[in-house]
Amino acid sequence: MPTSEPLDCLIVGGGPAGLTAAIYLARFRRRVLLVDSGASRAALIPESHNYPGFTGGVAGPELLERLRRQAERYGAKLRGGTVEELQPGGDETFSARIDGEVLEARKVLLATGIVDEKPALPSMAEFIYRGAIRFCPICDGFEASDRRIGILGPLQRVMAKALFLRTYTPDIVILATDKDLDISDADREALRLVGIPIPHEPVADLVLAGGAVTAIMASGMRIELDVLYPALGAHVRSELATRIGSQANEQSCLIVDQHQRTSVPNLYAAGDVTFDLSQISVAT
């Protein structure tokens, strides 16, 4: 059974979207609880230079800590934990099971974000923080200007990222994970026009040493890189909503209206879980 009176709003996820919502709702004098599992994608950002107002850049963990302090200042309650299940009730409330405890809320906002698929590398976390491996060219392509960039993934995913990053450097290497490297005439022409070499063999392995990335191709050829961008896709953490009938697109992003309402009454969503333009400024 629920352990307290219903919350005005339960926020699931403590990234920029969830914390911004907590700040606003707390200032509206609403009873707000934010539950965060500690897996915000923003926490992996070594330093962001495109978030407005931070002219010298800001590290993801620092930005999240500032937002947490701001939310708590106005009375929002923040709690570590995992929302395991969400169910609509008959009295226009939701029940949420959080690490075994059941709470009720009149409204729920999902700000659960996404998880990037990563190459299976032993030193993955270390090299994310060193900046040798990056995930978001919109965020930090500028910082990779004029460097040798490798883009890893299936050809269908790599193409768009390769063409976008060509804005910043002429030295682009496609590291295809496909065994079949058949490429359409249109894609072949698009690469030729901007001077990106067409891949002729798949990548076999990656080596990280001294902050540099070396790609080892199927033939044994080694290619030294300055920066690696995986293009392996991402998992959208929308299951809490889709299990209870919330509509989602083909990428599993939740479909919301202009007020962030999902198709389930009183269930809202914001941030990366709703749209594939994964930017902090969009989330806030």
Side-chain angles (χ1 to χ4, degrees), residues 166-188:
R166 180 61 182 82
T167 305
Y168 299 103
T169 179
D171 206 349
I172 300 284
V173 179
I174 291 178
L175 303 171
T177 56
D178 314 64
K179 292 183 179 179
D180 181 5
L181 294 180
D182 187 27
I183 187 170
S184 71
D185 290 341
D187 286 345
R188 186 181 299 275

Side-chain angles (χ1 to χ4, degrees), residues 106-124:
R106 295 183 178 90
K107 313 280 186 184
V108 174
L109 171 70
L110 292 184
T112 41
I114 63 175
V115 180
D116 291 291
E117 299 294 339
K118 304 175 183 67
L121 301 172
S123 303
M124 188 69 193

Side-chain angles (χ1 to χ4, degrees), residues 230-246:
L232 301 170
H235 168 67
V236 182
R237 291 184 284 210
S238 57
E239 296 89 349
L240 285 173
T242 56
R243 285 182 200 143
I244 57 175
S246 184

Side-chain angles (χ1 to χ4, degrees), residues 10-12 35 81-86 96-99 240 243:
L10 170 67
I11 301 172
V12 187
V35 178
T82 301
V83 177
E84 301 159 339
E85 186 179 14
L86 187 66
R97 190 174 74 243
I98 305 167
D99 298 327
L240 285 173
R243 285 182 200 143

